[in-house]
Amino acid sequence: MAKRAKPSAKAVDIADSYAVRLMQHLVVPTFVIDPRRRVVIWNRACERLTGVAAAEVIGTTKHWQAFYETRRPCLADLVALDRPEQLPEYYSEYAARGHNGLGFSAENWCVMPKLGSQLYLAIDAGPIHDEAGHLIAVVETLRDLTDQKRAETALKELATKDGLTGLSNRRAFDQMLMTEWARAQRTQKPMALLFVDVDHFKLFNDRHGHQSGDECLRAVADVVSRHAVRPLDLASRYGGEEFALILPDLDCDSACAIADDIRRAVMALAIAHGAVGAGEHVTLSVGVASHIPGEADGNPDRLLGAADEALYAAKRLGRNRVICAERILAEFAGLGREAAPVPGRMARKSA
């Protein structure tokens, strides 16, 4: 069998030159780094995407400056270094396509310093090897998915937000409750739950109308949301005139202090009520429970039930008050009521 003739040096040079020109004119933003991670190609589409001219990065390792404010590896760098284990450290979505020369894929938000705005980019980076298997370059291509990502985020927010108040809805509450309950089991730290109910709300609606009722709920929701200040706190509309507040890592005393702040803040709004059987202004009843879940606590039903019972006790004891589940009997005894378990409504269950 005749041996295939090797291409001449001139033919190779022509092919290389053609490949470079082709890459320069690709509509897909693309850049290429060498094994020492210096930029050798930065095409025109990449200039348009990043606002960074090729002359600023060619021959340097400063390509990261086009995407981030502080130094960190780009996806092409991780391919060149063969470090798939670092993908989760730098990218929210990622995939290592194996050690067979296929490279990595990833997605994340980039701050784009030259543009002054963030872009959500889908990134692919793959190695190029010579005939001996040695790495000679890494090619990174970029796709702008910002509009799609923002639309996806907006849809997720619609699915988890209450339309009237803007708080998280029941679905989001159930999901966060389960997540934080599992975390509390791992960390063995307390988890607090507040049920906040607008007193005599049906009478308010009957007297002032449903439009005023909606305005009242929005005002209460604003107060409740202002007390969900930490990253893992969650304020939600549980249903009707009832709100719930998840407060991880808080004991009952700390949670009760927050509950009373909420109650006082709504009183300070001085929303006129005046219906027969109600007070002059809108008030709240709040039930509070806190628990460190043990191994036997498979779900948060115990916490839900305790907060619900505390809320019911607050209603039974005259409304406009905060009751902690740990002190229900003491509260009843202090008011001369029968020191017996408070009959509750149908037990709440976790989703």
Side-chain angles (χ1 to χ4, degrees):
M1 181 182 291
K3 289 184 178 180
R4 187 168 55 186
K6 289 185 178 181
S8 66
K10 183 178 180 181
V12 171
D13 289 343
I14 291 173
D16 288 345
S17 176
Y18 178 78
V20 170
R21 289 200 303 271
L22 179 64
M23 199 166 289
Q24 288 286 6
H25 292 279
L26 278 177
V27 295
V28 178
T30 305
F31 68 88
V32 181
I33 61 173
D34 66 16
R36 296 175 63 182
R37 294 183 288 139
R38 296 173 302 189
V39 178
V40 293
I41 295 175
W42 189 269
N43 76 357
R44 294 175 182 178
C46 201
E47 289 183 317
R48 290 192 294 270
L49 177 73
T50 63
V52 175
E56 297 180 53
V57 290
I58 294 291
T60 77
T61 59
K62 297 179 179 179
H63 45 289
W64 62 270
Q65 293 180 347
F67 307 100
Y68 309 105
E69 291 179 327
T70 56
R71 189 180 185 92
R72 52 154 283 179
C74 294
L75 195 63
D77 298 307
L78 297 183
V79 172
L81 296 168
D82 192 23
R83 291 180 181 169
E85 71 279 0
Q86 289 189 298
L87 286 168
E89 181 181 349
Y90 294 107
Y91 295 97
S92 57
E93 303 285 343
Y94 59 88
R97 299 196 292 270
H99 296 276
N100 55 359
L102 295 177
F104 307 150
S105 294
E107 296 179 7
N108 76 333
W109 284 100
C110 299
V111 297
M112 314 303 287
K114 274 293 182 76
L115 301 180
S117 61
Q118 289 193 337
L119 296 180
Y120 189 82
L121 300 180
I123 310 160
D124 291 282
I128 299 175
H129 299 95
D130 61 17
E131 292 181 353
H134 300 124
L135 181 71
I136 58 175
V138 179
V139 180
E140 179 166 315
T141 59
L142 306 151
R143 286 176 293 141
D144 183 0
L145 300 182
T146 307
D147 290 341
Q148 296 95 308
K149 188 64 176 179
R150 285 178 176 157
E152 177 186 322
T153 301
L155 284 173
K156 284 183 178 178
E157 286 186 357
L158 284 174
T160 59
K161 294 294 183 184
D162 173 61
L164 176 66
T165 65
L167 297 184
S168 296
N169 62 16
R170 175 67 181 276
R171 176 184 176 185
F173 169 85
D174 288 337
Q175 291 173 344
M176 180 63 86
L177 183 68
M178 296 302 292
T179 298
E180 287 307 304
W181 184 258
R183 191 176 70 85
Q185 282 182 314
R186 292 194 303 271
T187 62
Q188 283 298 285
K189 291 184 178 180
M191 176 178 172
L193 175 63
L194 277 58
F195 278 135
V196 180
D197 192 87
V198 181
D199 294 327
H200 298 297
F201 187 69
K202 184 180 184 301
L203 296 178
F204 182 93
N205 267 341
D206 292 343
R207 181 176 178 84
H208 299 283
H210 288 282
Q211 184 173 346
S212 294
D214 288 348
E215 291 172 0
C216 173
L217 291 178
R218 280 192 286 266
V220 173
D222 182 60
V223 170
V224 173
S225 68
R226 291 203 305 268
H227 289 78
V229 295
R230 301 172 303 165
L232 295 178
D233 294 346
L234 182 78
S236 64
R237 185 182 181 196
Y238 196 83
E241 69 272 22
E242 191 172 2
F243 302 88
L245 191 57
I246 296 173
L247 299 170
D249 302 336
L250 282 189
D251 59 23
C252 210
D253 287 341
S254 300
C256 281
I258 291 173
D260 205 51
D261 285 345
I262 292 172
R263 184 187 67 83
R264 291 175 183 276
V266 168
M267 287 185 66
L269 295 177
I271 302 171
H273 197 313
V276 176
E280 185 179 350
H281 297 114
V282 168
T283 59
L284 301 179
S285 295
V286 188
V288 180
S290 181
H291 183 60
I292 300 174
E295 293 181 3
D297 295 314
N299 58 52
D301 287 349
R302 175 177 174 180
L303 182 68
L304 284 164
D308 188 44
E309 187 173 89
L311 174 61
Y312 192 57
K315 295 288 189 181
R316 287 282 305 276
L317 289 167
R319 297 180 170 84
N320 188 22
R321 67 192 62 227
V322 173
I323 297 293
C324 175
E326 296 177 0
R327 296 191 289 270
I328 289 177
L329 296 182
E331 293 283 352
F332 267 74
L335 290 177
R337 304 291 183 94
E338 181 183 357
V342 181
R345 293 163 289 184
M346 185 178 295
R348 302 181 198 244
K349 298 289 184 182
S350 56

